[in-house]
């Protein structure tokens, strides 16, 4: 039968371990980061992201780097202030905490996404995420019409949408040609053309921009530019004939 021998540790050695271990544990600092995890913004607004850092033992912490990151870009590092066409930064230090503020100026769709607040300190590294979403970006719209086609243009919209055509209350979108492009700022542009040749235009035409993400039409165009030019000409001739008849009665 085998036996195990557990040596007794020297009392002085144990005291030395306690002497070094306890201060090391007690002097360590816990890093806490706080920020708003989800932010929704309307296009053109200024959006402020604030990252607050605090420590359980402030005296033993040295901040090496404090930054906001987006799409691989270091937006705010150790500098107190930073400026850019799309953002600016600011930093506030107090006895209890440190704050790094990132202001997205006149926010555009290309600025949405995940932002990472990250801090490097002498006691470790910590990070926290904030997700920014842009919504309700409605741009400008125009209409035009000639003898054979009616065109509606919607520019500077986000999120993406779908152009619908109506004659009166009837949806006539089938067969319509629509082109969609996304510009450098992330906005969507739409140009939709309806072939009017051979179509009965006794009822007015209209076009609308439907945004599935919002579940509604955000732009409705019912312009005189979408009236039948042929009908206008006919109406003008009717007016001329009526004027001739009235003049003949007066004579």
């Amino acid at each position: 039968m085998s036996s195990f021998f557990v040596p007794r540790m020297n009392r002085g050695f144990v005291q030395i371990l306690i002497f070094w271990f306890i201060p090391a544990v007690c002097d360590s600092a816990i890093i806490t980061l706080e920020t708003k995890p989800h932010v929704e913004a309307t296009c053109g607004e200024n959006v402020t992201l604030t990252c607050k850092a605090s420590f359980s033992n402030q005296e033993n912490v040295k901040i090496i780097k404090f930054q906001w990151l987006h799409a691989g870009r270091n937006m705010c590092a150790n500098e107190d202030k930073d400026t850019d066409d799309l953002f600016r930064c600011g930093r506030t230090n107090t006895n209890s905490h440190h704050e790094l503020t990132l202001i997205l100026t006149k926010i555009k769709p290309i600025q949405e996404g995940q932002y990472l607040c990250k801090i490097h300190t002498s006691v470790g590294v910590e990070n926290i995420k904030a997700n920014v979403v842009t919504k309700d970006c409605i741009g400008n719209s125009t209409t035009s019409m000639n003898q054979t086609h009616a065109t509606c243009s919607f520019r500077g919209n986000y999120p993406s949408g779908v152009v619908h055509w109506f004659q009166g209350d009837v949806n006539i979108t089938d067969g319509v040609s629509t082109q969609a492009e996304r510009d450098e700022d992330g906005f969507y542009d739409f140009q939709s053309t309806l072939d009017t040749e051979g179509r009965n235009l006794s009822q007015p035409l209209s076009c609308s921009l439907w945004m599935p993400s919002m579940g509604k039409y955000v732009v409705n165009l019912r312009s005189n530019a979408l009236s039948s030019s042929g009908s206008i000409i006919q109406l003008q001739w009717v007016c001329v004939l009526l004027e001739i008849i009235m003049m003949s009665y007066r004579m």
Side-chain angles (χ1 to χ4, degrees), residues 36-54:
K36 191 173 182 180
H38 185 77
V39 177
E40 290 189 356
T42 301
C43 284
E45 291 182 344
N46 287 352
V47 177
T48 301
L49 302 179
T50 300
C51 186
K52 178 180 177 181
S54 56

Side-chain angles (χ1 to χ4, degrees), residues 4 13 29 36 66 76 87 97 102 104 112 115 128 136 140 143 149 152 193 204 216 229:
F4 294 94
F13 180 71
K36 191 173 182 180
F66 198 10
C76 301
F87 70 91
H97 67 272
L102 171 64
L104 306 176
E112 75 172 7
Y115 288 77
I128 192 170
D136 300 341
N140 56 69
T143 61
H149 295 88
C152 286
T193 302
K216 65 179 182 180
S229 57

Side-chain angles (χ1 to χ4, degrees), residues 7-241:
R8 295 180 61 185
M9 298 183 68
N10 184 277
R11 184 175 180 181
F13 180 71
V14 173
Q15 289 176 336
I16 292 174
L17 284 178
I18 295 174
F19 176 80
W20 286 105
F21 179 75
I22 292 180
V25 172
C26 295
D27 288 344
S28 64
I30 298 174
I31 307 170
T32 302
L33 290 181
E34 298 176 52
T35 193
K36 191 173 182 180
H38 185 77
V39 177
E40 290 189 356
T42 301
C43 284
E45 291 182 344
N46 287 352
V47 177
T48 301
L49 302 179
T50 300
C51 186
K52 178 180 177 181
S54 56
F55 312 95
S56 59
N57 191 341
Q58 178 73 36
E59 294 181 357
N60 296 309
V61 178
K62 179 182 178 181
I63 296 177
I64 301 170
K65 188 183 295 184
F66 198 10
Q67 57 192 164
W68 275 105
L69 303 167
H70 174 61
R73 180 181 182 182
N74 182 354
M75 305 186 75
C76 301
N78 260 344
E79 298 85 356
D80 290 336
K81 293 183 179 179
D82 202 353
T83 58
D84 189 273
D85 291 339
L86 299 179
F87 70 91
R88 62 180 184 269
C89 304
R91 183 171 171 181
T92 303
N93 300 321
T94 68
N95 293 330
S96 60
H97 67 272
H98 301 261
E99 284 186 1
L100 184 63
T101 301
L102 171 64
I103 301 176
L104 306 176
T105 56
K106 297 181 180 179
I107 192 168
K108 303 173 183 178
I110 56 168
Q111 293 171 280
E112 75 172 7
Q114 190 177 92
Y115 288 77
L116 181 71
C117 173
K118 191 172 186 179
I119 190 167
H120 299 253
T121 74
S122 55
V123 297
V125 178
E126 191 61 68
N127 63 74
I128 192 170
K129 298 174 183 177
N131 191 54
V132 176
V133 176
T134 54
K135 63 176 186 176
D136 300 341
C137 306
I138 311 301
N140 56 69
S141 54
T142 59
T143 61
S144 63
M145 187 170 181
N146 57 29
Q147 296 295 329
T148 59
H149 295 88
T151 301
C152 286
S153 298
F154 304 89
R155 300 190 179 280
N157 300 277
Y158 187 85
S160 185
V162 181
V163 178
H164 290 171
W165 284 84
F166 294 88
Q167 186 168 17
D169 295 328
V170 180
N171 191 320
I172 56 171
T173 304
D174 289 345
V176 170
S177 173
T178 300
Q179 295 179 334
E181 295 181 354
R182 196 172 186 187
D183 65 21
E184 59 183 9
D185 291 324
F187 294 104
Y188 287 95
D189 298 332
F190 305 94
Q191 181 168 302
S192 186
T193 302
L194 173 69
D195 186 354
T196 60
E197 194 169 10
R199 184 183 292 274
N200 182 358
L201 298 178
S202 58
Q203 289 186 301
L205 296 173
S206 63
C207 55
S208 301
L209 180 60
W210 169 266
M211 282 194 175
S213 62
M214 300 172 66
K216 65 179 182 180
Y217 290 104
V218 295
V219 183
N220 296 283
L221 297 179
R222 299 177 183 273
S223 170
N224 290 333
L226 294 179
S227 300
S228 169
S229 57
S231 298
I232 293 174
I233 294 173
Q234 291 175 5
L235 182 60
Q236 290 174 339
W237 276 108
V238 169
C239 293
V240 171
L241 289 173

